[in-house]
């Protein structure tokens, strides 16, 4: 699942669709739930990319949901994905959605930006790549699907990471 901005430059959501297109070649029933917030142009770009790659059966897209509606949509998510690309914002900002993803005790596939490398270790508490490219990202995604036992273990470690480093009861 993915939750966040539909802005490609900020969060790489259109790039996620390129990767999904590669993953579906191996796992035709793979489905990406996208809960997005964006303007009309961003929504249209997402819809066009879904049509271009023939991903309508592989995506469920929800726009501008209220916070109370989001949790219900995430009940069937088995993995979270995020692919911020290198930019000034990604270099110096911290993607708080990653902390939220970690707390779900599900595997996370992400690019390592900013200071995430201080908290995340590939294959231990996340699945990650340093610099985004469709092939590397897609291969990691396929690996997660192929080895659900390991993915579950990594998801459990992700939750432990969220409690250790991002617990408001400890950090405030």
């Amino acid at each position: 699942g993915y939750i966040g901005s539909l802005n490609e430059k900020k969060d790489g959501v259109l790039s996620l669709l390129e990767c999904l297109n590669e993953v579906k070649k191996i796992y035709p029933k793979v489905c990406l739930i996208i809960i997005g917030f964006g303007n009309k142009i961003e929504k249209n770009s997402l819809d066009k990319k879904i049509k271009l790659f023939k991903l309508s059966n592989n995506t469920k897209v929800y726009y501008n949901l209220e916070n109370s509606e989001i949790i219900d949509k995430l009940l069937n998510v088995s993995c979270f994905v995020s692919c911020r690309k290198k930019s000034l914002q990604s270099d110096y900002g911290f993607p708080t959605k990653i902390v939220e993803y970690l707390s779900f005790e599900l595997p996370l596939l992400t690019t390592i930006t900013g200071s995430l490398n201080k908290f995340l270790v590939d294959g231990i508490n996340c699945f990650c790549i340093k610099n985004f490219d469709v092939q590397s990202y897609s291969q990691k995604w396929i690996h997660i699907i192929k080895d659900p036992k390991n993915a579950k273990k990594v998801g459990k470690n992700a939750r432990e990471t969220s409690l250790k480093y991002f617990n408001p009861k400890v950090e405030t």
Side-chain angles (χ1 to χ4, degrees):
Y2 168 82
I3 308 166
S5 167
L6 297 177
N7 184 302
E8 172 65 12
K9 188 174 180 182
K10 179 179 183 280
D11 280 328
V13 68
L14 299 178
S15 297
L16 282 175
L17 293 176
E18 289 182 53
C19 296
L20 178 62
N21 190 47
E22 292 300 311
V23 173
K24 88 167 186 174
K25 292 173 184 174
I26 308 294
Y27 295 100
K29 293 183 180 181
V30 67
C31 184
L32 175 60
I33 295 173
I34 299 171
I35 301 172
F37 308 93
N39 61 40
K40 190 174 183 176
I41 293 168
E42 292 165 337
K43 289 177 190 177
N44 287 340
S45 294
L46 187 73
D47 292 338
K48 285 179 184 175
K49 192 75 116 171
I50 289 169
K51 286 180 182 141
L52 173 70
F53 290 131
K54 298 178 175 79
L55 294 171
S56 59
N57 292 330
N58 302 93
T59 54
K60 291 181 182 176
V61 181
Y62 304 96
Y63 295 120
N64 303 319
L65 294 181
E66 296 293 324
N67 286 343
S68 60
E69 300 173 286
I70 292 174
I71 296 296
D72 289 339
K73 303 298 181 203
L74 296 176
L75 293 177
N76 294 319
V77 168
S78 58
C79 173
F80 283 106
V81 292
S82 173
C83 73
R84 276 192 166 188
K85 295 179 185 172
K86 189 160 178 51
S87 70
L88 190 61
Q89 182 175 11
S90 72
D91 284 348
Y92 297 101
F94 189 87
T96 54
K97 76 172 74 183
I98 298 300
V99 175
E100 293 165 351
Y101 290 167
L102 293 172
S103 71
F104 276 86
E105 199 168 312
L106 292 171
L108 164 66
L109 172 57
T110 188
T111 50
I112 295 296
T113 60
S115 59
L116 287 177
N117 62 345
K118 294 179 181 176
F119 307 100
L120 301 181
V121 180
D122 185 41
I124 302 296
N125 59 3
C126 74
F127 297 94
C128 61
I129 60 172
K130 186 154 177 66
N131 296 305
F132 176 80
D133 71 84
V134 172
Q135 200 58 36
S136 297
Y137 196 94
S138 301
Q139 286 304 311
K140 287 278 185 179
W141 197 339
I142 289 166
H143 174 76
I144 292 167
I145 297 169
K146 190 183 290 185
D147 191 354
K149 186 176 178 182
N150 184 54
K152 185 174 181 156
K153 183 179 98 179
V154 171
K156 187 176 178 84
N157 291 341
R159 171 81 173 156
E160 290 172 10
T161 298
S162 77
L163 293 173
K164 181 177 180 180
Y165 294 108
F166 305 105
N167 187 340
K169 292 178 184 173
V170 175
E171 296 301 319
T172 56

